[in-house]
Amino acid sequence: MTEETPGFDEQPDVPSGATPDDAEPKTAPSAQEGAAPAGDASAAAQAAAHTAAQAAAQTAGLTAQLDQVRTALNERTMDLQRLQAEYQNYRRRVERDRIAVKEIAIANLLTELLPVLDDIGRAREHGELVGGFKSVGESLETVAAKMGLQQFGKEGEPFDPTIHEALMHSYAPDVTETTCVAILQPGYRIGERTIRPARVAVAEPQPGAQTVKADEASSEAADDKESGGPDEG
């Protein structure tokens, strides 16, 4: 009979080189260990929702700031455009005033020289514009012309009260309207601005001359009608 040694249980065969832990059977992980706890999933969802809400709020804040910046930029742009328009208007106004002041100064200067130009013109008419006086007079007329001074007024032109000043009046049978028959003093202008009207003697048609001419025209028309009209060629 074989005696069993008390206190020793039979152990499975263990390969050489293996540790005792390798010999112990391993149990499969439970289902609870493999799955995440339900509380952790809820917390993660809440954290994600909170992060999304923060991002949306931040985006809304940035959008509001961008709108404010755009509004401010539009306002500054409009202010700049207004300033530019005012500056352009100011420049045009200054340039217009500068030109006006220049024209007035030139007109005042030339107005003071008109009596001298009248003397030169009278000397020329009487044949006294000779020698050094002629050279000086012609130089002065040339300078005045370069400054824009223009002389006007001719015999035989119709009388215009806006540019002519009638000093003498008469009747003439050979005119059909009020006509300048003599230029007593020439007129002068600078561009479209008259600085002195032409002083003239005017003649009007002889009283009754137009009635006589109208009667003659009527008589000629009646004669043509009685004779059957003008001869045809």
Side-chain angles (χ1 to χ4, degrees), residues 46-218:
Q46 291 179 357
H50 181 67
T51 302
Q54 287 183 341
Q58 185 176 8
T59 303
L62 293 176
T63 303
Q65 292 180 0
L66 181 59
D67 292 338
Q68 293 178 356
V69 171
R70 287 176 177 173
T71 302
L73 178 60
N74 292 333
E75 292 177 353
R76 299 299 179 269
T77 302
M78 294 177 64
D79 292 340
L80 179 59
Q81 291 175 349
R82 282 195 296 269
L83 288 175
Q84 288 180 341
E86 292 176 0
Y87 177 67
Q88 293 298 331
N89 293 333
Y90 169 77
R91 287 188 58 185
R92 285 193 291 266
R93 185 168 57 254
V94 169
E95 183 66 16
R96 184 172 60 250
D97 295 343
R98 185 185 67 82
I99 294 174
V101 169
K102 180 180 178 181
E103 290 178 351
I104 293 173
I106 293 175
N108 292 336
L109 173 62
L110 294 177
T111 301
E112 296 297 328
L113 292 177
L114 292 184
V116 179
L117 297 176
D118 292 336
D119 293 338
I120 294 173
R122 283 191 291 267
R124 182 181 290 108
E125 292 176 356
H126 292 85
E128 299 176 357
L129 193 63
V130 295
F133 180 54
K134 178 181 180 181
S135 177
V136 173
E138 290 178 349
S139 298
L140 181 60
E141 290 175 339
T142 300
V143 172
K146 287 183 178 179
M147 296 178 71
L149 185 66
Q150 300 175 357
Q151 180 178 315
F152 66 90
K154 294 181 180 179
E155 295 182 5
E157 64 183 7
F159 176 75
D160 184 352
T162 61
I163 61 174
H164 296 138
E165 181 181 354
L167 300 182
M168 298 177 64
H169 177 270
S170 62
Y171 295 97
D174 56 343
V175 297
T176 59
E177 60 180 344
T178 304
T179 306
C180 300
V181 295
I183 305 299
L184 306 179
Q185 204 173 45
Y188 289 95
R189 67 165 63 98
I190 300 176
E192 300 297 328
R193 179 181 180 182
T194 300
I195 62 175
R196 190 182 75 181
R199 293 166 180 170
V200 300
V202 299
E204 292 183 352
Q206 192 73 27
Q210 294 182 352
T211 304
V212 172
K213 290 183 179 180
D215 293 341
E216 291 177 354
S218 299

Side-chain angles (χ1 to χ4, degrees), residues 32-52:
Q32 294 181 353
E33 294 178 356
D40 294 343
S42 177
Q46 291 179 357
H50 181 67
T51 302

